């Protein structure tokens, strides 16, 4: 296969740990269930502050060393104060984060040394959907495009294979490309 | 009734095993619920031809037939395939009992007992040759298809006339799906083809059939032990191939050219609307990459072995064309689609096995066909011992190896029976017989 240099390539991904996890989960598949959480608070206007910290996985509650905070808002053209990223840009960040991390992991697994990876992520939408002006227009993206620039010790075909495999194993790619049930309630 | 080895199923796999046991003078019986070659007679569509050329239907003890010498590179029709398997059963004089349905296999004494509709059969060994494609693998989303729409699996599909006029959604784009999509589109029924992961391959490459390449380069013979990820290797779908007498390539581009509409993998049906994955472009790109990697490998093999001269020049094919924005939804309620065809693969049917040999996902645990219940064997499972294990051409080598294992087991059992208190005696070097 592509295992050219599994020992010397170092993209900072701990492949042994990932493979070990796969083996352990083979024995205890119930530990593979994860619940991810975020807690979002309204600040004012369209400005919100979201915290992520603990999550559930590997059979128990998991704490992190620190929690992370994200601000979202809308740009001034939406008559907002632009205190943070637009929520849809957060989605693009999620997709980029997932695919780029995937490229690094797959490259490590295949022994490909990366020098630089840049992904440009674009999502297009027709805002007549969210403004409720036309029921036939969807609210969300109608097209999402990702363009990679990768510098690595590998052929073009091997680099394309990295990118393809990263999509195949990406959670966020799947979340965007396939439907999921979403339930929202008020306590 | 009593036998030493009971083979369940008289397809080519059960028959090949019968031949290999006969070569070792191991007393056995083949039971078949229907007729010899039952699957080819009752579960295939009319226009189907084997996607393996005639020369590739090699079976142990089967001399190459005169007709195959004439048409080595042809592709057998279904009646011709049935005739081949029946001919094989005849010339190897397989002890087949047809019309005997095994309903339960359980432990009994030191061996097994098979309950059948013709009475019980006790046996020391059981070979399950009931087929890897015994049941269609239909996705859970099938439950959401509106009642007015007819659904058929590839096992029930026969020909376009069986369907009402009107649109068809074919789900799955491996060998079966692309062949049926092609035939239905040509019959005047507009086809939408839901495409997930698939393996693209040319029918002929550099002037030779692709199976000539896969066979000669040893790819079909690759062993399961040599695979990095055996689980994944066993799950790989069939190559997008058809037994096209004119040698044309039947890939997604060929289907697009006749008007088939490509959409992503079917991920669900919600309120009568089929939803397709947005991953079509990546599935197509992956498939193109894999095909090119395969062709690189084949070119290298031809080069190393000095075949370059007798072959055409290396070729590369245009990338799979995917329209800019493939449809993500299809309303099944508006009348545009009259039929859904599930070409979503098959799985075996081992429900008659009443033994603790199943894994969590309901499949029989085995190592190269050797089940961890002594004397129980499988045949014909995907990538069971080698890549070609499910093909007609794969049954011979698999059956030879498993027959040797079964023979050794019988030897060991009879030695233990003679000298039960002692540890296993060292092997004399001479073959021993189980009786
Ligand atoms: C559409 C399609 C196309 C294919 N094309 C090719 C090809 O071109 N080339 C190729 O090499 N391979 C091809 N294959 C793969 C393979 O050769 C066939 O699936 C073949 O039928 C498998 O042979 P088998 O002997 O393993 O099983 P089968 O032919 O399915 O035989 C199993 C037998 O067991 C019997 N049986 C099942 N359960 C019981 C029971 N409980 N009691 C008694 N009898 C039972 C069945 O009636 C059947 O006759 C194709 C498969 C499919 C589905």
């Amino acid at each position: 296969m592509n295992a050219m240099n599994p020992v010397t390539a170092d993209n900072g991904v701990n492949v042994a740990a990932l493979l070990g996890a796969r083996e352990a989960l083979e024995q205890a598949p119930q530990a593979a269930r994860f619940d991810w959480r975020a807690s979002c608070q309204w600040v004012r206007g369209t400005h919100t502050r979201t915290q992520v910290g603990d999550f559930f996985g590997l059979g128990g509650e998991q704490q992190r060393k620190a929690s992370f905070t994200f601000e979202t808002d809308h740009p001034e053209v939406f008559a907002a104060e632009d205190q943070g990223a637009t929520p849809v840009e957060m989605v693009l960040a999620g997709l980029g984060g997932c695919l780029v991390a995937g490229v690094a992991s797959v490259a490590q697994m295949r022994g490909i040394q990366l020098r630089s990876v840049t992904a440009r992520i674009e999502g297009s939408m027709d805002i007549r959907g969210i403004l409720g002006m036309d029921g036939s227009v969807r609210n969300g993206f109608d097209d999402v495009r990702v363009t990679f620039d990768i510098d690595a010790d590998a052929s073009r075909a091997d680099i394309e294979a990295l990118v393809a495999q990263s999509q195949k194993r990406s959670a966020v790619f799947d979340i965007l490309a396939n439907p999921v049930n979403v339930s929202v309630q008020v306590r | 009734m009593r036998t030493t080895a009971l083979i369940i199923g008289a397809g080519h796999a059960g028959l090949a095993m019968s031949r290999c046991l006969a070569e070792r003078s191991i007393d056995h019986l083949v039971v078949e619920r229907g007729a010899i070659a039952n699957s080819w007679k009752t579960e295939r569509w009319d226009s189907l031809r084997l996607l393996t050329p005639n020369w590739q239907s090699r079976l142990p003890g089967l001399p190459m037939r005169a007709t195959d010498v004439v048409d080595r590179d042809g592709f057998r029709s279904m009646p011709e395939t049935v005739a081949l398997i029946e001919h094989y059963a005849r010339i190897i004089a397989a002890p087949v009992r047809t019309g005997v349905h095994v309903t339960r296999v359980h432990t009994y004494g030191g061996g097994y007992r098979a309950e059948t509709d013709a009475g019980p059969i006790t046996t020391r060994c059981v070979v399950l040759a009931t087929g890897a494609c015994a049941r269609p693998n239909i996705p859970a989303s099938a439950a959401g298809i509106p009642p007015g729409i007819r659904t058929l699996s590839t096992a029930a599909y026969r020909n376009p006339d069986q369907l009402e006029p009107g649109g068809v959604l074919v789900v799955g784009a491996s060998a079966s799906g692309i062949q049926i999509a092609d035939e239905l589109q040509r019959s005047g029924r507009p086809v939408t083809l839901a495409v997930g992961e698939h393996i693209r391959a040319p029918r002929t490459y550099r002037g030779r059939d692709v199976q000539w390449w896969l066979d000669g380069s040893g790819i079909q013979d690759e062993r399961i032990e040599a695979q990095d990820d055996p689980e994944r290797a066993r799950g790989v779908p069939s190559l997008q191939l058809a037994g096209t007498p004119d040698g044309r390539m039947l890939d997604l581009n060929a289907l697009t050219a006749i008007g088939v509409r490509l959409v992503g993998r079917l991920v669900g049906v919600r309120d009568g609307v089929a939803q397709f994955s947005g991953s079509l472009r990546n599935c197509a790109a992956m498939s193109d990459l894999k095909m090119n990697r395969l062709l690189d490998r084949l070119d290298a093999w031809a080069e190393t072995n000095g075949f370059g001269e007798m072959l055409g020049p290396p070729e590369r094919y245009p990338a799979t064309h995917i329209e800019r924005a493939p449809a993500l939804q299809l309303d099944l309620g508006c009348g545009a689609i009259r039929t859904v065809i599930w070409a979503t693969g098959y799985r075996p049917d081992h429900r008659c096995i009443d033994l603790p040999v199943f894994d969590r996902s309901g499949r029989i645990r085995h190592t190269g066909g050797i089940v961890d219940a002594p004397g129980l064997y499988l045949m014909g499972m995907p990538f069971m011992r080698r890549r070609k294990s499910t093909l007609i051409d794969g049954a011979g080598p698999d059956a030879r190896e498993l027959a040797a294992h079964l023979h050794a087991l019988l030897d060991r059992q009879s030695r233990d029976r003679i000298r039960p208190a002692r540890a296993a005696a060292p092997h004399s070097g001479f073959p021993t017989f189980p009786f």
Side-chain angles (χ1 to χ4, degrees):
Chain A
M1 282 260 329
N2 294 332
M4 284 174 287
N5 226 342
V7 194
T8 50
D10 182 8
N11 301 319
V13 178
N14 188 343
V15 171
L18 291 177
L19 291 176
R22 217 180 116 161
E23 215 151 278
L25 292 176
E26 211 85 67
Q27 307 309 317
Q30 51 315 330
R33 187 129 283 283
F34 272 64
D35 286 319
W36 298 104
R37 304 161 184 149
S39 165
C40 179
Q41 215 178 12
W42 175 59
V43 180
R44 115 190 189 95
T46 54
H47 181 193
T48 75
R49 187 165 296 133
T50 297
Q51 289 218 331
V52 299
D54 56 282
F55 59 94
F56 179 90
L58 301 178
E61 283 298 322
Q62 304 287 338
Q63 305 297 330
R64 284 186 160 110
K65 277 182 289 196
S67 62
F68 300 102
T69 304
F70 304 92
E71 311 272 332
T72 73
D73 200 351
H74 287 78
E76 284 166 1
V77 293
F78 285 81
E81 290 175 3
D82 210 6
Q83 301 281 341
T86 308
V88 294
E89 291 165 330
M90 298 291 278
V91 173
L92 298 183
L95 179 62
C98 199
L99 289 177
V100 172
V103 164
S105 307
V106 178
Q108 185 71 57
M109 210 81 85
R110 296 184 178 180
I112 295 173
Q113 180 64 54
L114 299 173
R115 280 186 291 271
S116 75
V117 180
T118 313
R120 180 171 174 80
I121 309 108
E122 296 163 275
S124 309
M125 63 167 63
D126 180 340
I127 66 159
R128 284 177 303 164
I130 50 176
L131 294 176
M133 291 164 62
D134 184 342
S136 70
V137 173
R138 72 182 285 180
N139 296 344
F141 295 130
D142 50 31
D143 195 43
V144 176
R145 298 172 301 282
V146 183
T147 313
F148 269 97
D149 278 302
I150 298 179
D151 181 13
D153 287 332
S155 68
R156 174 159 186 104
D158 283 342
I159 290 174
E160 284 176 3
L162 283 184
V163 171
Q165 183 66 16
S166 148
Q167 290 168 74
K168 182 175 162 181
R169 286 281 156 257
S170 163
V172 181
F173 182 91
D174 171 67
I175 290 165
L176 284 174
N178 300 316
V180 56
N181 285 315
V182 181
S183 54
V184 180
Q185 16 175 304
V186 178
R187 192 150 42 197
Chain B
M1 215 185 307
R2 180 188 298 275
T3 185
T4 303
L6 178 68
I7 300 171
I8 308 177
H12 73 261
L15 295 171
M17 181 56 100
S18 168
R19 165 71 189 196
C20 293
L21 294 180
E23 283 171 359
R24 294 170 175 274
S25 307
I26 295 171
D27 155 59
H28 67 279
L29 198 63
V30 184
V31 289
E32 164 59 53
R33 64 178 171 189
I36 288 168
N38 203 52
S39 304
W40 298 108
K41 277 184 178 153
T42 64
E43 294 167 7
R44 310 279 190 261
W45 58 98
D46 299 346
S47 66
L48 178 65
R49 283 178 179 273
L50 291 191
L51 48 73
T52 44
N54 292 342
W55 60 262
Q56 208 178 11
S57 293
R58 296 172 288 206
L59 285 163
L62 176 69
M64 195 179 221
R65 307 177 75 186
T67 48
D68 291 348
V69 176
V70 176
D71 189 16
R72 280 178 54 84
D73 300 323
F75 301 101
R76 279 192 179 79
S77 66
M78 284 305 99
E80 288 164 348
T81 306
V82 169
L84 173 82
I85 312 261
E86 288 175 341
H87 166 77
Y88 181 53
R90 229 171 9 249
I91 65 154
I92 63 168
V96 182
R97 302 271 174 112
T98 53
V100 177
H101 192 157
V102 175
T103 50
R104 183 171 168 239
V105 174
H106 54 107
T107 42
Y108 187 80
Y112 301 98
R113 184 164 127 152
E115 307 299 335
T116 83
D117 54 3
I121 303 170
T122 56
T123 180
R124 287 167 68 185
C125 300
V126 174
V127 180
L128 274 169
T130 52
C133 303
R135 283 196 285 166
N137 200 11
I138 295 181
S141 47
I145 305 284
I149 291 186
R150 177 149 183 227
T151 59
L152 280 175
S153 73
T154 49
Y157 171 77
R158 289 293 167 271
N159 56 54
D161 294 339
Q162 189 187 9
L163 273 52
E164 298 185 28
V168 184
L169 171 63
V170 176
V171 184
S174 291
S176 300
I178 55 157
Q179 293 180 31
I180 292 172
D182 182 57
E183 169 167 288
L184 288 173
Q185 179 74 29
R186 289 173 193 279
S187 79
R189 292 166 181 77
V191 171
T192 302
L193 179 63
V195 181
E197 273 183 54
H198 58 276
I199 315 284
R200 186 182 179 201
R203 176 75 263 179
T204 53
Y205 181 60
R206 300 177 66 181
R208 294 290 185 140
D209 191 86
V210 69
Q211 296 290 359
W212 176 86
W213 288 94
L214 297 177
D215 182 61
S217 61
I219 291 177
Q220 288 289 24
D221 293 295
E222 276 171 2
R223 312 280 311 208
I224 189 68
E225 308 85 76
Q227 301 304 306
D228 294 340
D229 189 343
E231 187 72 15
R232 200 181 67 190
R234 287 185 165 144
V236 168
S238 58
L239 295 182
Q240 276 181 334
L241 283 180
T244 41
D246 54 359
R248 84 193 149 93
M249 181 169 177
L250 186 54
D251 61 356
L252 296 178
N253 285 349
L255 291 175
T256 303
I258 60 166
V260 170
R261 184 157 74 126
L262 306 182
V263 294
R265 193 170 67 87
L266 176 71
V267 280
V269 181
R270 193 177 286 178
D271 303 327
V273 177
Q275 300 183 302
F276 306 108
S277 176
S279 65
L280 175 59
R281 198 174 297 283
N282 189 45
C283 286
M286 271 196 129
S287 187
D288 288 348
L289 281 164
K290 282 185 191 152
M291 177 176 71
N292 288 335
R293 208 183 295 149
L294 172 69
L295 298 180
D296 287 346
R297 190 174 158 191
L298 297 179
D299 288 338
W301 168 76
E303 204 55 50
T304 312
N305 291 281
F307 293 141
E309 302 290 285
M310 53 186 261
L311 299 165
E315 301 164 63
R316 288 297 176 270
Y317 302 90
T320 302
H321 174 75
I322 302 296
E323 65 176 298
R324 229 199 66 70
L328 296 170
Q329 299 201 326
L330 181 59
D331 185 357
L332 299 176
C334 72
I337 296 291
R338 302 302 314 141
T339 313
V340 175
I341 306 242
W342 302 112
T344 34
Y346 304 86
R347 57 197 159 128
D349 185 354
H350 292 144
R351 286 175 296 185
C352 68
I353 302 302
D354 191 0
L355 298 163
V357 293
F358 293 90
D359 68 13
R360 240 188 311 264
S361 47
R363 285 175 300 201
I364 291 188
R365 279 189 311 268
H366 69 97
T367 310
I370 302 161
V371 182
D372 57 5
L376 185 59
Y377 298 89
L378 287 168
M379 274 295 292
M381 291 299 111
F383 221 137
M384 187 175 83
R385 301 181 67 82
R386 37 179 63 77
R387 192 183 305 278
K388 65 180 178 183
S389 284
T390 41
L391 295 184
I392 295 173
D393 196 47
D398 282 4
R400 276 234 157 78
E401 291 164 6
L402 291 181
H405 186 280
L406 186 154
H407 194 168
L409 175 85
L410 291 174
D411 277 359
R412 222 166 29 245
Q413 287 181 346
S414 42
R415 267 202 309 273
D416 292 352
R417 202 159 304 158
I418 296 163
R419 285 187 298 273
R422 294 233 199 110
H427 200 276
S428 67
F430 292 104
T432 45
F433 286 95
F435 318 109

